[in-house]
């Protein structure tokens, strides 16, 4: 059975897309970022909790502060990417639930009154949204370089607060000619899917 999505779009989003390690100097505009978010905000999360928060690092001063917290191998590409985003989970996402879940506003207190429950839910659902964000970047014709090689505590202290847990840093832009490593193997369906 074939997919409904056009094969060129399948390639753009999945088959030909890879993590970029180098970018051109073409800027990423606010309009592009808004278009990406306007698409990916529709990806599902439990209770529509939408806990992902995005910090765009645009200024040279903020970029320098961020680069100091990146692992050595990630510093050069973070220093030169046209745009860098810090993706974080908002552990106080439940404050928005009366708006986001109007048919069940009491979910805020029924399920998420305790901080440990919120932290677990925020981590899982913000990670889902981070994946949607990466796909959205690809849909905009840009490349993403998601990274978890950084000092999480340092990035949290420098850019966030105690209610926001960093998940990843994503370099964003048009890929340079030498942007890609060779594609690594993938597991086949019979290695992953079990029918019971």
């Amino acid at each position: 059975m074939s997919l409904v999505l056009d094969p060129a779009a399948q390639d753009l989003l999945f088959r030909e897309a890879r993590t970029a390690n180098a970018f051109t100097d073409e800027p990423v505009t606010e309009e592009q970022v808004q278009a990406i978010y306007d698409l990916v905000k529709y990806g599902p999360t439990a209770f529509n909790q939408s806990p992902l928060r995005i910090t765009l690092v645009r200024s040279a001063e903020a970029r320098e502060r961020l680069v100091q917290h990146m692992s050595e191998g990630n510093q050069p590409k973070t220093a030169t990417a046209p745009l860098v985003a810090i993706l974080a989970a908002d552990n106080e996402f439940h404050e928005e639930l009366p708006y986001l879940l109007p048919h069940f506003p009491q979910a805020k207190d029924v399920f998420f009154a305790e901080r440990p429950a919120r932290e677990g839910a925020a981590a899982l659902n913000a990670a889902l949204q981070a994946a949607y964000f990466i796909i959205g970047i690809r849909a905009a014709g840009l490349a993403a370089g998601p990274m978890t090689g950084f000092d999480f505590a340092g990035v949290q202290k420098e850019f966030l607060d105690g209610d926001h847990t960093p998940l990843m840093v994503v370099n964003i832009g048009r890929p340079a000619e030498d942007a890609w490593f060779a594609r690594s193997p993938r597991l086949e369906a019979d290695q992953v899917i079990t029918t019971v």
Side-chain angles (χ1 to χ4, degrees), residues 28-102:
V28 176
T29 67
E30 291 293 337
E31 292 77 16
Q32 287 172 304
V33 173
Q34 186 66 52
I36 291 164
Y37 181 73
D38 285 343
L39 175 66
V40 303
K41 68 184 179 183
Y42 294 107
T45 57
F47 291 96
N48 197 32
Q49 59 191 246
S50 306
L52 182 69
R53 301 296 179 262
I54 303 166
T55 301
L56 299 178
V57 180
R58 286 201 182 270
S59 74
E61 179 269 334
R63 180 76 62 104
E64 188 175 311
R65 288 171 28 224
L66 176 60
V67 167
Q68 294 177 28
H69 295 289
M70 302 304 294
S71 65
E72 187 176 340
N74 290 333
Q75 288 179 354
K77 51 192 169 185
T78 302
T80 59
L83 179 62
V84 182
I86 300 168
L87 305 188
D90 181 359
N91 296 307
E92 297 298 313
F93 69 86
H94 70 305
E95 297 295 344
E96 304 293 339
L97 282 182
Y99 169 74
L100 293 170
L101 202 66

Side-chain angles (χ1 to χ4, degrees), residues 16-22 73-74 77 177-184:
E16 299 299 324
R18 291 192 244 153
T19 296
N21 295 291
N74 290 333
K77 51 192 169 185
E177 285 186 28
D178 59 347
W180 321 114
F181 296 144
R183 183 178 290 287
S184 297

Side-chain angles (χ1 to χ4, degrees), residues 177-194:
E177 285 186 28
D178 59 347
W180 321 114
F181 296 144
R183 183 178 290 287
S184 297
R186 297 297 193 265
L187 297 175
E188 296 301 323
D190 62 353
Q191 297 172 281
V192 175
I193 300 170
T194 303

Side-chain angles (χ1 to χ4, degrees), residues 106-183:
Q106 62 272 32
K108 171 188 172 189
D109 299 313
V110 172
F111 295 106
F112 302 110
E114 301 297 324
R115 177 72 178 230
R118 291 196 304 273
E119 288 178 350
L124 172 62
N125 288 280
L128 284 173
Q129 289 186 286
Y132 304 146
F133 185 69
I134 292 166
I135 300 300
I137 291 168
R138 294 172 176 180
L142 301 171
M147 301 167 293
T148 56
F150 61 91
D151 175 2
F152 280 70
V155 167
Q156 183 177 35
K157 183 177 181 182
E158 193 79 41
F159 293 96
L160 306 170
D161 59 32
D163 290 331
H164 294 81
T165 303
L167 299 172
M168 67 182 67
V169 172
V170 183
N171 294 328
I172 305 168
R174 297 239 180 246
E177 285 186 28
D178 59 347
W180 321 114
F181 296 144
R183 183 178 290 287

